[in-house]
Amino acid sequence: MIEAVLIFLGLAILFGLLLGYASIRFKVEGNPMAEQIDKILPQTQCGQCGFPGCKPYAEALANGETEVNLCIPGGNEVMIKISEITGLEPKEMDEAAAEAKPKETAYINEDLCIGCVLCIKECPVDAILGATKLMHTVIQQECTGCEKCVPVCPVDCIEMLPENVTPKNWKWPEPVVVEKASK
Amino acid sequence: MSLLRPVIEKIAKIYPMAKRYLHAFHGGVFPQYNKELSANQPVREQIIPTKLILPLQQQVGLPAEVLVKVGESVKKNQLLAQSPKDPKKALVVPVHAPTSGVIRAIEPATLAHPSGLQDMAIILEPDGKNTTIDNALKVSKQTIETPDQLKDILFHAGIIGMGGAGFPTYAKIPSRPGQIHTLLINGAECEPFITCDDLLMQTHAYEIVQGALITANALGSSKIICGIESNKPTAIKAMTNAAKDTIVEIKVVESVYPMGGQKQLTLELTGIEMPHKVHAVDIGLLMMNVATFAAIYRAVMFGEPLTSRMVTVSGLGLNKPFNTIAMIGTPFSELAQAAEPKTKLNYPLIMGGPMMGVKVKSNDVPISKTTNCVLANPPEPVDMQMPCIRCGQCMDACPVNLLPQQMYFYAQAHEYDKVEKLNVADCIECGCCSFVCPSHIPLVQYYRHSKSEIREIHAEQKAVDLAKERHEFKMARIEREKAEREARLKAKKEAVKKQASAPKDPTTETKKPSKGAASAAAVAARAAAAKRAAKAKTEDSPVTEKAIPSARLKAIEAAKKATQQSAQQDFEQGSEKTTDPKVAARNAAMLAAKKRAQAKKAAVSSDESTASENEAMPKKDPKQAAKQAAILAAQKRAKAKAASSGTGSETKPDPKKSAQQTAQQTAQQTAQQTAQQTAQQTAQQTPEEATMQTAETTIVDLTVATPETDASRKEAARKATKEAAKLAAKKRADEARAAKQQAQIEAQALAEQTGDIDPIKAKREKAMQAARERAALRKAQKNQNSDDPEST
Amino acid sequence: MIQPTSSPFAHNNQSVRKVMMQVQLAAFPALLTHIYLFGFGIVVQWLLAVATMLVVEYIMLKLRGRPVLPFMTDMSALITITGLVFCIPPEAPWWIIVSGSAFALIFGKHLYGGLGYNPFNPAMLGYAFLLISFPVQMTQWTLPVDLSGHALNFIQSAHYIFTGQVPGISMDALTGATPLNEVRNGLSQGISATDIVTQTVKEETFGLTSWGWVNVAFMVGGLWMIYSRAISWQFPVGFLGSLALISFIFNQYDPTLYPPASFMLFTGGTMLAAFFIITDPVTASTTPKGKFIYACGIGVLVYVIRQWGAFPDGIAFAIILMNIAVPLIDQYTQPRVFGHQR
């Protein structure tokens, strides 16, 4: 009887020591979870989640301060991935986010632009080229479609348009399942 | 293998699948070839169609730029379009006229592409005369010794891979002689129905062989092997005859689909299995279609660019299938009509063969340089798609030894990363798997879709990484600018402190800190007041203000307050100490400096853009500044007009609100103007003077009068005279500018009166007016909504 | 008219229905041999099974909301019940085959998603269910005609199957143990295997017992299927080869305890399994090497269960166990892609 107690006590002490050593020796600096989450976020820096960018949202998630279903450009897939990483329950996305929109980019109507640089300051990825009192234009390659520039323009000259389909970027459609034999 | 061959051939008679052991690559299928439909017909004479459609964008490369005009008469072989980019740095394919005629139009036309999209094309109307420019490429009959010489001719001839891919041949050939040790000629033609290569070999065997020899000579290759399928006996004979006494070796290969695939034929002819992701030229092999070699021969020997090719017009829906040397740009429908279709062509034609062909969206698409067949197969009933029974027939048939089944499962589940891991990139899209599937699953279509999706996923990932980088850079840039600004301000403060503690009155020294503190407090108080005023404004009409960001508002308010304060102070200061002229001058100078400082502070307290504006402005010359002033004046006028018309056009004329609006607008305008003008004024100075002024003005206290001593008086006098001089100079400059402005304004007014306004400016003003109206409407609605608690 | 969205626009003549028909036809010689040697019981059972199949398939397809006619006529369920019918004693009561078929089709196929989605072989699942639930009925095999001396015609068989008796004939005379069962019983009693085998050899016609002849008939059908490419050759070769090898090794080691390979190959449901059951493509491995390993695994397991397991014929459990291992086998036997190192 006494041996059993001693053995278990000894095991408990041994494993406790091992765990303590491991927690000190293998301690990871910083919060790797935030990095992991940031990697899977779409990086549009649109702010629709309520945070000023993707990295702050990732950090808030890592600290467990916020919900998993706030990223609208990421959609359902990103929400599931976040819930996997953080271990939180997957949550339903909002109705508005549920539909998948085709990628739209911003286009500045150059006739209306007055060169006020407000959109340039707003763009989180510096995708608008221009300077004060000079013509502004959106570098299409860099635009992420976050739509932050649209409301700040005083002359309302920015609109979001879907990408042009050319033979170069045309995609093969998914095959249709033939439900019934045709005669 | 050669010993077993007759045994296997015997077995194959009773067990057809044993034929799979007769060729080197795995799998393969044996479809119904139906080649006799067109193979036994003679080659027909060239058909001159009613119109030729020549797309500017070829399969691969930059779109060509048109060099001719609509209505121009062109001759055969004339260069019609070419991209001006350097062919060494980009892929450039020129377009030549296949026959003489008139350019009818340059407009979008449907491409022979699976998407059915339209792209710019030259529409040429042949005149039937076929006037030719001989030796359009201006070749001399010299032998080609180096690859670069050959590349030059190939580029100008517009020769691209005519086997189907359409990669520009001049870019495919390496520049280093001797890099290619074996030249491979692809005469396999494994697809059902197609016989164009077969007949080309029968009729132009000499050209093909000579073309190969020319290429081998230029590249320094020591071996040439030509692979021809065993179901083309006449072609084999013709080529063997033409290759007699040359280094060209004719090898007969098994008739199996897809023998004509590059990797499969390479394995068959040379025994070399090409590693994945490696180009053939990197391992010393170069394979080209027989038609390409024939084209090379014609280009090198006769200077003829690529303007026509052998095309098979065949199918179960045609009565008289045939082969012909068709002009590039001939519409499909005309060729199909020439073959006497059995029924009306109300079904889409297929470009290519039934295994890898493309259903064209419109039957009028043109023949391109890579089109080898126009297939008219009436649509057949399609069997229902059953679930996959995992039988493995697809795996047995795949020439690349992939696992089509697994790829299908993952592609259906949209798990494209797993499909990529299963090497879908190696899939040659031959269609063998779909051909054998008992469940009639369109396997190859899933892989095509998966490939596009995977490509898009990679591109998106790259874009996301880049966006993240840019965002982080932007954050860093803003941090850096903030730090720089703070450093500058700090330096300014240090400089000010130093100046203050420089040779001056010890009494004033003690007073300076308190004065500085007091002045700083005053400034802070002003700023706070401005903020409060701005906030009050925003509560009133948040929507209008959103259009103008709060920072600017702050500036406006601050400027307003500044003008009010300066007026007050003028009054205050003016009441005291008016007797001493020197003091008066000094006071005047101080007041002017104060005004400037306040305005400058207002400008600086807003975001750095206005600061950058100010910094940017001195770089411009005064003429531009004057123009800007004129523009501002015009804008002011427009705004006034808009304000008056705006109030009139409001749907719900609320007198209080409209009055408020107009008051706001006028206040804004005046504030803006003064702010801008003062900003301009300060900008006119050099930055040093500005700093000096601010330094000076920070010293000056507004409410506490300085007790005077002799030294201080002398100092003050000195400063006053300097200030007076400066003021005078400025006044002169101002007057000059004002005069110029006046002139501009008058000119502007004149222009306006004569109705010669810049349409862009008018549009802009209209847009601004529209924006303002919208804003007003929104504000009205919002107020309405906030009034009505039930509306959401 | 729905056309393929893109190439290929040609197809060979294969279809699921064709493959299943080929398998069904290949089972025909065995069916005839069975009737000849064991009476008409099997026909009654088969008809019962078809009736069950029609009812069950219809109900399940309707419940799952799938199109009824195409899926009912794809013949895959027919293969399942044919396989099951061959596994049970021909004179088993009617509710055996009905419950077995129903279980096989519902739990073995439809609940997993229908054709192509089930992980376990449905026939073997039904057979295992019957073996475990009704062991007595499943081991009461009818003796071959030459042993029992009675050839039950169709009506008598039907009567027996539905009522459990045949007027005029006692049941004990009709039923008996299969050779495999005899071997098991004999070994447990201490009789040496060679003796048992020579004993059974006495009841041979043309060198093989009746059960042996049925197996031969299956083999003939199976060879035809390999020729017509309805099944892959790796399955029978792997299975029979490994079974023969392992029984040969053990027989050489101790002939008194382990029956010879020839005995093993031609008794019980060996050939049926080799050509008809394990070749079910849906539940078997898909890669060429994987198919071979899968079949060898089944062979080894069959021998193990027959020799040391609780059941006389271990085909059902061996197959189900290997079905579980199929995804693992598939993962590690992927073929070398053209142009890649491995």
Side-chain angles (χ1 to χ4, degrees):
Chain A
M1 175 65 189
I2 193 75
E3 297 99 4
V5 172
L6 283 174
I7 288 173
F8 273 104
L9 199 63
L11 277 174
I13 292 172
L14 177 68
F15 286 127
L17 284 172
L18 272 173
L19 282 173
Y21 173 72
S23 75
I24 296 173
R25 166 81 168 79
F26 298 113
K27 188 173 167 60
V28 179
E29 285 306 325
N31 198 348
M33 202 192 279
E35 293 283 328
Q36 274 179 311
I37 297 177
D38 194 33
K39 271 210 183 68
I40 57 157
L41 290 176
Q43 302 299 330
T44 51
Q45 322 291 352
C46 60
Q48 291 184 60
C49 55
F51 292 87
C54 297
K55 194 71 201 272
Y57 182 48
E59 281 168 5
L61 276 171
N63 294 331
E65 296 162 355
T66 180
E67 303 287 339
V68 297
N69 64 341
L70 297 177
C71 180
I72 295 181
N76 228 10
E77 298 161 3
V78 164
M79 183 274 290
I80 290 179
K81 281 196 212 147
I82 294 175
S83 59
E84 277 174 21
I85 295 178
T86 54
L88 298 167
E89 276 294 307
K91 254 180 128 188
E92 283 273 322
M93 304 284 306
D94 272 332
E95 282 306 307
E99 350 136 354
K101 268 197 316 179
K103 171 140 190 242
E104 292 183 336
T105 49
Y107 285 87
I108 289 179
N109 187 342
E110 299 183 351
D111 287 337
L112 300 176
C113 174
I114 57 169
C116 67
V117 289
L118 292 171
C119 57
I120 293 183
K121 282 186 282 180
E122 196 58 35
C123 178
V125 291
D126 280 343
I128 304 185
L129 193 63
T132 328
K133 305 292 186 197
L134 296 178
M135 185 49 65
H136 298 346
T137 186
V138 176
I139 307 175
Q140 288 303 314
Q141 257 181 308
E142 308 293 347
C143 176
T144 60
C146 72
E147 301 194 28
K148 268 177 148 173
C149 55
V150 178
V152 294
C153 177
V155 295
D156 225 354
C157 72
I158 307 185
E159 53 178 339
M160 304 299 293
L161 295 173
E163 250 185 284
N164 251 348
V165 184
T166 61
K168 294 254 160 122
N169 63 2
W170 178 80
K171 286 201 308 179
W172 279 98
E174 195 166 352
V176 177
V177 175
V178 179
E179 294 279 326
K180 271 171 77 148
S182 56
K183 292 290 153 63
Chain B
M1 194 57 198
S2 45
L3 287 170
L4 287 170
R5 187 168 283 266
V7 178
I8 297 179
E9 276 168 10
K10 284 247 166 39
I11 298 176
K13 291 206 176 53
I14 45 172
Y15 183 51
M17 275 304 155
K19 283 195 277 183
R20 279 205 178 137
Y21 293 102
L22 293 175
H23 52 260
F25 60 88
H26 173 267
V29 293
F30 305 96
Q32 284 265 42
Y33 281 108
N34 290 328
K35 285 196 194 248
E36 62 281 356
L37 285 178
S38 51
N40 300 331
Q41 307 290 332
V43 179
R44 277 205 214 166
E45 225 185 84
Q46 191 170 61
I47 298 171
I48 300 187
T50 53
K51 73 170 180 212
L52 289 168
I53 306 168
L54 302 162
L56 297 175
Q57 169 74 60
Q58 308 271 308
Q59 274 80 352
V60 179
L62 296 168
E65 288 179 26
V66 188
L67 301 167
V68 292
K69 288 188 281 295
V70 177
E72 200 174 313
S73 267
V74 294
K75 292 199 202 134
K76 177 171 167 170
N77 296 342
Q78 180 171 338
L79 180 66
L80 296 181
Q82 185 175 319
S83 168
K85 294 262 174 4
D86 181 6
K88 290 205 192 13
K89 301 211 183 82
L91 295 171
V92 175
V93 181
V95 178
H96 299 87
T99 184
S100 57
V102 178
I103 308 281
R104 272 284 154 247
I106 301 175
E107 60 187 14
T110 318
L111 299 175
H113 187 269
S115 61
L117 293 167
Q118 292 198 331
D119 209 358
M120 294 303 281
I122 301 174
I123 315 287
L124 176 66
E125 190 180 301
D127 57 7
K129 295 197 211 117
N130 224 14
T131 337
T132 315
I133 304 175
D134 285 317
N135 197 359
L137 301 175
K138 305 209 185 358
V139 291
S140 60
K141 286 294 178 72
Q142 273 179 329
T143 359
I144 307 213
E145 299 293 341
T146 67
D148 280 326
Q149 286 175 343
L150 185 63
K151 277 157 86 90
D152 194 46
I153 296 180
L154 294 183
F155 162 64
H156 284 106
I159 293 182
I160 61 178
M162 294 166 76
F167 193 78
T169 314
Y170 80 90
K172 189 168 167 180
I173 293 180
S175 323
R176 187 163 59 90
Q179 178 172 337
I180 307 288
H181 55 74
T182 309
L183 203 61
L184 297 167
I185 307 177
N186 190 339
E189 196 166 60
C190 49
E191 276 230 39
F193 288 102
I194 305 184
T195 50
C196 61
D197 288 346
D198 184 3
L199 288 178
L200 189 73
M201 285 192 280
Q202 287 178 26
T203 52
H204 294 79
Y206 176 74
E207 290 190 7
I208 298 169
V209 171
Q210 289 303 312
L213 289 169
I214 292 169
T215 316
N217 193 28
L219 297 174
S221 318
S222 47
K223 253 166 74 157
I224 307 179
I225 313 177
C226 175
I228 308 179
E229 271 194 350
S230 55
N231 55 9
K232 297 184 239 298
T234 330
I236 296 171
K237 215 184 331 181
M239 287 293 281
T240 321
N241 277 337
K244 233 188 285 214
D245 303 327
T246 63
I247 59 169
V248 178
E249 191 189 326
I250 308 288
K251 260 208 192 140
V252 178
V253 292
E254 283 308 307
S255 303
V256 60
Y257 179 83
M259 180 54 85
Q262 184 192 10
K263 300 198 175 177
Q264 281 71 30
L265 193 62
T266 308
L267 180 65
E268 189 75 21
L269 294 176
T270 62
I272 300 175
E273 187 176 308
M274 281 173 56
H276 69 123
K277 287 202 203 146
V278 163
H279 289 297
V281 293
D282 294 330
I283 51 176
L285 302 167
L286 181 64
M287 179 183 288
M288 291 202 278
N289 189 273
V290 285
T292 318
F293 281 114
I296 291 177
Y297 173 77
R298 292 214 75 86
V300 169
M301 282 305 186
F302 304 108
E304 278 179 26
L306 181 55
T307 52
S308 57
R309 62 159 297 145
M310 182 78 82
V311 172
T312 305
V313 184
S314 183
L316 299 169
L318 300 174
N319 274 324
K320 298 223 173 101
F322 63 93
N323 277 289
T324 179
I325 299 186
M327 289 186 212
I328 309 288
T330 312
F332 274 36
S333 45
E334 300 204 15
L335 286 174
Q337 287 298 330
E340 290 174 34
K342 290 182 186 162
T343 65
K344 219 162 98 79
L345 287 175
N346 52 4
Y347 50 86
L349 296 171
I350 297 172
M351 174 175 83
M355 297 299 283
M356 284 184 83
V358 165
K359 266 213 188 112
V360 291
K361 288 284 190 291
S362 143
N363 281 350
D364 286 326
V365 293
I367 300 272
S368 68
K369 291 176 181 172
T370 56
T371 308
N372 48 9
C373 178
V374 173
L375 198 61
N377 274 347
E380 282 175 13
V382 176
D383 272 339
M384 175 180 155
Q385 181 180 333
M386 303 289 283
C388 169
I389 59 171
R390 297 159 53 99
C391 61
Q393 300 256 21
C394 52
M395 189 177 54
D396 288 334
C398 179
V400 187
N401 221 2
L402 295 169
L403 290 171
Q405 217 177 68
Q406 309 265 11
M407 293 202 292
Y408 166 68
F409 285 140
Y410 291 126
Q412 231 196 355
H414 297 206
E415 291 179 348
Y416 297 113
D417 52 339
K418 294 213 179 75
V419 182
E420 198 184 346
K421 265 205 208 115
L422 286 165
N423 297 311
V424 72
D426 287 322
C427 169
I428 60 174
E429 295 180 24
C430 61
C432 288
C433 47
S434 308
F435 183 80
V436 296
C437 180
S439 299
H440 292 269
I441 301 174
L443 289 167
V444 133
Q445 285 87 324
Y446 276 100
Y447 309 142
R448 289 203 184 104
H449 173 72
S450 304
K451 280 189 197 174
S452 340
E453 290 286 333
I454 288 170
R455 193 175 51 228
E456 197 181 311
I457 288 172
H458 281 305
E460 259 178 33
Q461 189 58 44
K462 255 203 219 134
V464 159
D465 288 337
L466 196 62
K468 185 163 175 201
E469 253 184 64
R470 289 182 79 90
H471 178 67
E472 283 171 6
F473 182 77
K474 179 181 169 127
M475 295 283 124
R477 175 171 63 86
I478 291 178
E479 286 292 324
R480 188 183 39 143
E481 283 178 5
K482 209 184 341 181
E484 278 176 8
R485 201 166 6 109
E486 280 172 12
R488 242 185 298 130
L489 276 172
K490 210 168 163 196
K492 247 190 252 171
K493 280 210 188 92
E494 295 291 317
V496 161
K497 277 209 196 99
K498 242 191 234 150
Q499 280 227 333
S501 56
K504 283 223 184 102
D505 223 296
T507 50
T508 45
E509 256 185 283
T510 51
K511 290 285 171 41
K512 298 300 181 294
S514 65
K515 268 187 232 148
S519 67
V523 168
R526 244 181 288 132
K531 218 187 269 183
R532 256 176 289 138
K535 227 208 289 197
K537 272 269 157 50
T538 49
E539 279 167 14
D540 257 345
S541 49
V543 185
T544 357
E545 302 309 341
K546 241 193 237 174
I548 307 173
S550 54
R552 183 168 259 196
L553 259 179
K554 245 191 276 174
I556 294 165
E557 295 308 319
K560 245 194 284 179
K561 277 272 165 9
T563 51
Q564 285 175 16
Q565 289 262 16
S566 58
Q568 222 184 8
Q569 277 143 28
D570 277 344
F571 182 68
E572 278 176 17
Q573 291 277 5
S575 58
E576 307 168 9
K577 299 184 190 149
T578 45
T579 48
D580 195 349
K582 274 200 202 138
V583 173
R586 193 190 66 192
N587 285 339
M590 274 163 34
L591 277 169
K594 250 186 275 165
K595 253 192 255 164
R596 279 195 300 271
Q598 282 161 26
K600 182 129 198 195
K601 260 206 191 50
V604 165
S605 66
S606 65
D607 344 323
E608 57 264 39
S609 73
T610 41
S612 62
E613 271 182 87
N614 293 336
E615 282 161 23
M617 293 234 271
K619 308 266 188 327
K620 304 190 191 149
D621 50 9
K623 199 163 77 163
Q624 275 206 344
K627 216 200 293 188
Q628 281 167 24
I631 290 171
L632 283 166
Q635 279 180 349
K636 189 182 87 172
R637 254 175 290 122
K639 265 185 230 162
K641 248 191 267 176
S644 56
S645 58
T647 48
S649 63
E650 267 188 35
T651 49
K652 285 208 163 78
D654 190 345
K656 184 176 86 175
K657 289 210 184 86
S658 62
Q660 204 179 43
Q661 263 198 338
T662 38
Q664 252 176 23
Q665 278 172 356
T666 42
Q668 278 170 18
Q669 283 157 26
T670 45
Q672 266 179 350
Q673 239 199 341
T674 46
Q676 278 162 350
Q677 275 180 359
T678 42
Q680 270 186 343
Q681 280 178 7
T682 48
Q684 289 297 337
Q685 306 155 2
T686 60
E688 294 148 5
E689 287 181 6
T691 51
M692 272 191 71
Q693 275 182 4
T694 43
E696 285 168 16
T697 46
T698 44
I699 302 168
V700 172
D701 183 45
L702 307 164
T703 49
V704 179
T706 33
E708 292 177 13
T709 60
D710 269 335
S712 74
R713 241 179 285 152
K714 265 199 220 137
E715 183 59 37
R718 191 174 57 87
K719 263 195 251 165
T721 44
K722 210 164 52 174
E723 283 299 306
K726 254 199 236 141
L727 270 171
K730 216 191 307 112
K731 220 196 265 179
R732 278 195 301 267
D734 281 345
E735 280 169 9
R737 227 187 324 116
K740 246 198 234 162
Q741 271 187 28
Q742 193 65 3
Q744 284 266 7
I745 289 169
E746 280 170 7
Q748 193 64 269
L750 203 63
E752 269 188 3
Q753 282 165 14
T754 54
D756 200 7
I757 310 175
D758 196 345
I760 294 174
K761 234 179 283 171
K763 225 194 282 187
R764 203 179 291 151
E765 279 153 24
K766 226 186 282 182
M768 288 180 79
Q769 183 189 335
R772 249 172 273 120
E773 284 174 16
R774 274 198 302 276
L777 260 166
R778 260 179 278 154
K779 195 192 78 167
Q781 269 186 357
K782 184 138 189 188
N783 285 336
Q784 209 189 22
N785 289 342
S786 59
D787 289 342
D788 185 359
E790 291 182 13
S791 63
T792 43
Chain C
M1 173 112 56
I2 309 169
Q3 288 288 294
T5 47
S6 57
S7 59
F9 305 107
H11 203 282
N12 65 2
N13 294 326
Q14 281 284 53
S15 72
V16 174
R17 195 172 301 160
K18 246 202 191 160
V19 172
M20 300 296 170
M21 279 304 288
Q22 281 171 337
V23 174
Q24 194 66 20
L25 283 174
F28 217 64
L31 181 69
L32 293 175
T33 321
H34 207 281
I35 296 176
Y36 178 72
L37 291 173
F38 288 89
F40 281 93
I42 196 163
V43 181
V44 181
Q45 302 283 9
W46 194 77
L47 289 172
L48 269 174
V50 170
T52 319
M53 173 193 89
L54 289 171
V55 171
V56 166
E57 287 264 297
Y58 183 80
I59 294 174
M60 288 311 292
L61 285 170
K62 268 281 186 276
L63 281 176
R64 282 172 56 213
R66 313 291 282 131
V68 176
L69 204 57
F71 280 107
M72 273 185 77
T73 53
D74 70 4
M75 309 286 197
S76 57
L78 206 62
I79 312 277
T80 307
I81 59 166
T82 307
L84 193 56
V85 157
F86 274 111
C87 290
I88 60 172
E91 310 294 337
W94 61 273
W95 44 268
I96 289 276
I97 187 65
V98 168
S99 60
S101 314
F103 186 87
L105 289 174
I106 296 175
F107 286 86
K109 201 173 88 155
H110 283 287
L111 286 188
Y112 282 104
L115 176 67
Y117 295 105
N118 45 310
F120 296 114
N121 195 312
M124 288 300 105
L125 204 64
Y127 185 36
F129 161 73
L130 291 173
L131 272 179
I132 297 174
S133 317
F134 314 112
V136 175
Q137 283 84 351
M138 291 300 287
T139 44
Q140 284 281 24
W141 267 82
T142 318
L143 288 173
V145 171
D146 45 2
L147 285 180
S148 68
H150 297 275
L152 290 175
N153 64 16
F154 186 78
I155 307 291
Q156 284 171 318
S157 302
H159 204 269
Y160 178 65
I161 287 167
F162 283 103
T163 58
Q165 339 173 346
V166 179
I169 306 174
S170 110
M171 277 309 98
D172 298 329
L174 285 176
T175 54
T178 61
L180 279 172
N181 224 342
E182 277 184 31
V183 168
R184 168 176 292 279
N185 293 336
L187 282 176
S188 62
Q189 286 166 7
I191 311 172
S192 96
T194 36
D195 290 342
I196 305 170
V197 169
T198 40
Q199 230 183 8
T200 54
V201 158
K202 281 206 209 91
E203 297 126 14
E204 280 175 16
T205 35
F206 302 115
L208 280 170
T209 60
S210 306
W211 286 281
W213 278 111
V214 173
N215 273 305
V216 169
F218 275 127
M219 193 166 76
V220 167
L223 289 172
W224 180 77
M225 279 202 294
I226 292 180
Y227 165 72
S228 67
R229 290 183 61 79
I231 63 172
S232 312
W233 61 267
Q234 288 98 335
F235 293 119
V237 168
F239 175 63
L240 296 173
S242 65
L243 187 60
L245 189 66
I246 193 172
S247 53
F248 177 75
I249 291 172
F250 275 95
N251 181 250
Q252 292 302 104
Y253 172 64
D254 188 356
T256 55
L257 285 175
Y258 305 108
S262 54
F263 180 75
M264 275 291 159
L265 286 178
F266 285 99
T267 53
T270 312
M271 289 296 170
L272 170 69
F275 292 97
F276 290 84
I277 309 289
I278 67 176
T279 56
D280 174 31
V282 178
T283 52
S285 175
T286 51
T287 59
K289 269 196 286 238
K291 286 181 188 170
F292 198 76
I293 295 174
Y294 169 78
C296 290
I298 296 181
V300 169
L301 278 173
V302 161
Y303 186 78
V304 165
I305 296 177
R306 275 184 181 176
Q307 278 301 122
W308 300 288
F311 294 92
D313 200 356
I315 306 266
F317 300 103
I319 292 179
I320 291 179
L321 284 171
M322 285 312 285
N323 283 147
I324 299 172
V326 155
L328 185 71
I329 297 174
D330 275 348
Q331 172 78 14
Y332 288 109
T333 54
Q334 292 190 345
R336 184 187 76 88
V337 179
F338 189 102
H340 290 251
Q341 288 299 101
R342 40 144 208 98

